[in-house]
Amino acid sequence: MAIPNSAIDGETTAVATLSPNAGVGGDKVAAEIKTAPSPFDNQYGDADIVLRTADGTDFYVHKNILRMSSAFFQTMFSLPQPLEDPRKPADEGPVLHSSAKLDVLPVYEESRALNSVLRWCYPEVIHNPASSTVAQISLSLIPAQKYEMEYVVRKLTKKLRTLRHHRPLEVFAEAFYRDLEDIAADAADSFCYPSLPPTYEQRKQMPTYPIGLYSLHMNDVPASLYFQLLEHHHKVASAPDPRKIPHFRLLSKSSFMTEHGPMGQQRSSPVSPSHPFHDDPRANVLVCSADGCQFFVIANLLSYSSTVLEQMLNAADTTPDNATRDHPLDRQLGLPEDGQTLALLLQLCYPAPDPDLAHGSIEEKLADLSRLLDAARKYKVARAVDFVQHQFIAIASEVSPMRLYFTASWQKWQDGMREAAVHCVYEVADEYVPEMELGTAAEYRRLLVYRQKCREIILARYDPMPVPTQGSRPAHAKYFSKESWLSEPSDVRFWLAVHRRVHENVSAARDPTFNVEALYASFARAGSLQHGTNGRGNKMPSLQDLLEASGELGQVCAILTSRRYTDNPLS
């Protein structure tokens, strides 16, 4: 279909074209093709190729300029071009004011991004696009890197670096997304070392950034990297002489994550699985694991629990080895999982009580659960998925709530995230956990803000505040800390009990307040609370204070039960 001259003059025309974002079927969709503004509207009729954006805008450009600006286009235009198909209708494709036809090259960028990056390629009289903010630089930098525009990338990264002192977190995130490690490290130093420029006069002009500062541009940065940044800021702020602290550097992913996965370490030695499938006379299928374990099972029970296993059983070998068996089998099925995993999975396919995990360390049990979860999702055994979720929450909430938080976030276990968040309030110090590699800075930020709000509610009930550090009374709970925020373990146990009761009420849509007097009395009888003070003589909250605190904790807990907690960062 020919495009009339009016389209080239800047108007729009409905044409049939194959959208770059069209479905797999390749159906043609009606789209309005627009012409880009000057200088990409072919005002002088000398353009020799058209770049068509994802939102249907044609940019009339010059191959020579693209060749000089972009290694990508230089390579593309050097390749032999296909001969013109004589069967192609004469009026197909866009035309110039004359009758000469131009090739149309679809690109996946939107018109704003392509317009921005192309202006960097053309002479400066064209007017370079605005580049005073990180968002404006990013708009051009993404396609410039994609199309290997070395000069443009160099100009944009130089501008990005100049913003690091006043927008350190935005620059840090953008540099991370674009694999610009040196700029990311410089931005991190600007965030952590704001008072150490070369001269005293420059020091007075530099802003100071609190550790709780945040930018939405950080949302997709890995939580592990955000932790590294906060930890470095804490080291600098705590050091007597910050100049002696080495500059920030980006660390690679933990080898723990690479070798062992997110949920635990492999067992050091094989475990002989315990199971009831040794020689059931009712069994009609033999299931074999990758490590040689054999399970004699009933096909109908497996088919009922898993449609995937049902299909595999229907296609399984119907000539198993029955030489040593009194009751012949119908089929034999080999599966790639190990015996320990299959022992748990197959028991969860039967109408029987939940199986017990094999003895071992917490790390080994988490690893067993990790492999079971992979198998349960692979074979679509819903009961096994639920079993893993409940077991993991029960094991990890007490011993490593931070690990539970990021694992639950990754697995979309809302109950696990909420349970972990409550326990994280009472952690002694912020430490790295490998599951941070699974999460984002946005998820970590939500947890840190929630935790800080809860701690402030609790600390406000003391007089004086029971903090272990010497000096003046702190104004609020810390956003990130390496030291305990409550001085007595008994205080931690008491407030965790209060918090859990509040959280249970909120999750069940009940009033968050409860009979705090009975809980208070039980701790007093146990000797944890003596005559209204804790072990260091700090005055414990009154019953009225506890009622008020439970109500306020309930309001904060409500964030955990809403979509806002998982979909949007808190301010």
Side-chain angles (χ1 to χ4, degrees):
M1 178 183 296
I3 297 180
N5 292 340
S6 60
I8 299 176
D9 293 335
E11 299 178 7
T12 60
T13 304
V15 299
T17 182
L18 184 61
S19 168
N21 298 325
V24 177
D27 295 335
K28 288 189 175 182
V29 296
E32 284 195 344
I33 300 301
K34 299 173 290 186
T35 299
S38 177
F40 309 117
D41 56 355
N42 204 27
Q43 180 180 358
Y44 302 106
D46 58 350
D48 53 5
I49 193 168
V50 176
L51 301 182
R52 179 168 292 167
T53 63
D55 54 354
T57 301
D58 282 349
F59 285 75
Y60 290 80
V61 292
H62 306 81
K63 289 183 179 179
N64 282 339
I65 290 181
L66 294 183
R67 280 193 187 98
M68 290 185 289
S69 304
S70 163
F72 175 89
F73 285 114
Q74 182 183 42
T75 301
M76 173 182 286
F77 295 147
S78 68
L79 298 175
Q81 301 300 309
L83 297 176
E84 184 175 354
D85 189 347
R87 296 169 296 179
K88 181 179 178 181
D91 63 346
E92 185 174 318
V95 298
L96 304 178
H97 290 288
S98 64
S99 59
K101 290 178 291 184
L102 295 180
D103 290 329
V104 177
L105 179 62
V107 296
Y108 285 95
E109 285 70 32
E110 300 287 333
S111 56
R112 283 185 65 245
L114 190 63
N115 179 67
S116 179
V117 74
L118 287 177
R119 287 181 182 275
W120 284 101
C121 300
Y122 276 69
E124 291 190 7
V125 294
I126 299 300
H127 302 301
N128 286 339
S131 57
S132 59
T133 68
V134 173
Q136 291 170 343
I137 292 173
S138 180
L139 187 67
S140 300
L141 184 56
I142 295 173
Q145 288 185 319
K146 173 182 175 181
Y147 295 117
E148 302 174 64
M149 298 175 174
E150 182 179 349
Y151 171 77
V152 178
V153 170
R154 190 163 61 249
K155 294 278 286 186
L156 291 171
T157 52
K158 183 177 180 180
K159 286 182 173 290
L160 183 65
R161 192 187 296 271
T162 63
L163 299 178
R164 70 188 187 279
H165 294 306
H166 299 283
R167 293 288 186 271
L169 292 181
E170 289 182 51
V171 173
F172 177 82
E174 182 65 23
F176 170 78
Y177 298 145
R178 309 299 154 230
D179 293 323
L180 304 170
E181 291 192 7
D182 57 334
I183 296 180
D186 286 347
D189 285 341
S190 295
F191 176 62
C192 300
Y193 298 86
S195 60
L196 299 176
T199 69
Y200 177 75
E201 288 301 319
Q202 288 176 316
R203 290 193 188 108
K204 293 193 297 184
Q205 299 173 10
M206 295 298 294
T208 300
Y209 298 112
I211 194 169
L213 181 71
Y214 190 74
S215 166
L216 294 180
H217 203 49
M218 289 280 295
N219 278 359
D220 293 324
V221 168
S224 57
L225 185 56
Y226 186 38
F227 173 86
Q228 291 177 33
L229 185 63
L230 296 178
E231 186 174 50
H232 193 73
H233 189 291
H234 179 268
K235 287 180 180 178
V236 172
S238 304
D241 186 356
R243 291 171 296 184
K244 295 182 179 180
I245 303 297
H247 288 277
F248 182 87
R249 64 186 182 90
L250 273 69
L251 301 178
S252 60
K253 274 192 175 183
S254 167
S255 59
F256 181 96
M257 292 294 299
T258 304
E259 297 176 4
H260 302 295
M263 294 171 64
Q265 295 176 327
Q266 302 286 351
R267 291 183 179 273
S268 56
S269 58
V271 176
S272 178
S274 173
H275 61 84
F277 307 116
H278 296 289
D279 194 12
D280 186 346
R282 301 167 299 171
N284 56 353
V285 172
L286 172 62
V287 175
C288 300
S289 69
D291 52 0
C293 295
Q294 294 185 334
F295 305 89
F296 297 93
V297 296
I298 301 173
N300 286 343
L301 293 178
L302 267 58
S303 298
Y304 180 79
S305 300
S306 165
T307 56
V308 176
L309 289 176
E310 180 183 24
Q311 294 171 0
M312 296 179 71
L313 287 170
N314 291 336
D317 183 3
T318 57
T319 58
D321 183 7
N322 289 312
T324 60
R325 183 168 168 82
D326 296 334
H327 307 279
L329 299 170
D330 297 334
R331 281 158 288 183
Q332 181 170 323
L333 179 64
L335 297 177
E337 285 73 27
D338 62 89
Q340 177 65 29
T341 300
L342 289 182
L344 293 170
L345 182 72
L346 295 175
Q347 289 180 76
L348 290 164
C349 291
Y350 272 57
D354 288 344
D356 295 325
L357 295 176
H359 293 295
S361 69
I362 290 175
E363 293 291 340
E364 290 172 337
K365 289 182 178 180
L366 295 182
D368 291 344
L369 289 171
S370 176
R371 293 192 299 275
L372 176 58
L373 180 62
D374 290 340
R377 287 187 166 159
K378 174 182 175 181
Y379 300 118
K380 298 182 180 180
V381 182
R383 182 188 172 195
V385 173
D386 291 339
F387 172 82
V388 172
Q389 177 178 349
H390 293 137
Q391 287 288 322
F392 192 86
I393 292 173
I395 293 172
S397 61
E398 297 285 348
V399 296
S400 186
M402 190 68 77
R403 296 186 65 182
L404 172 59
Y405 176 80
F406 285 107
T407 300
S409 175
W410 181 54
Q411 299 288 354
K412 308 300 181 186
W413 296 341
Q414 302 304 317
D415 291 343
M417 286 181 66
R418 293 191 286 265
E419 181 75 15
V422 170
H423 282 268
C424 282
V425 173
Y426 304 93
E427 287 285 273
V428 173
D430 290 298
E431 301 291 344
Y432 169 82
V433 296
E435 284 76 11
M436 286 178 175
E437 306 289 354
L438 303 171
T440 64
E443 293 165 347
Y444 193 21
R445 163 72 174 182
R446 287 193 288 268
L447 177 63
L448 292 175
V449 171
Y450 165 76
R451 189 184 68 178
Q452 185 180 32
K453 289 179 181 292
C454 291
R455 289 179 175 181
E456 287 178 349
I457 290 170
I458 293 169
L459 290 175
R461 266 63 198 179
Y462 283 88
D463 186 23
M465 287 187 179
V467 291
T469 56
Q470 300 296 323
S472 60
R473 174 172 170 167
H476 55 77
K478 293 182 178 180
Y479 180 75
F480 182 91
S481 176
K482 287 293 185 178
E483 53 273 338
S484 176
W485 64 284
L486 285 175
S487 59
E488 289 297 317
S490 59
D491 293 4
V492 173
R493 292 191 296 270
F494 174 73
W495 281 107
L496 177 58
V498 171
H499 204 156
R500 293 191 67 179
R501 193 77 61 86
V502 169
H503 176 58
E504 290 171 2
N505 288 347
V506 171
S507 298
R510 298 191 296 263
D511 187 330
T513 58
F514 62 98
N515 187 0
V516 292
E517 185 174 1
L519 182 64
Y520 192 93
S522 67
F523 271 76
R525 286 194 299 270
S528 299
L529 307 174
Q530 298 178 1
H531 306 295
T533 64
N534 63 14
R536 296 198 181 189
N538 296 103
K539 183 179 178 181
M540 290 294 293
S542 66
L543 292 177
Q544 182 60 37
D545 287 333
L546 292 175
L547 284 172
E548 293 175 359
S550 63
E552 292 181 25
L553 287 173
Q555 293 176 1
V556 179
C557 278
I559 298 172
L560 299 177
T561 59
S562 69
R563 290 183 59 84
R564 181 186 175 197
Y565 178 68
T566 55
D567 291 351
N568 300 295
L570 299 176
S571 58

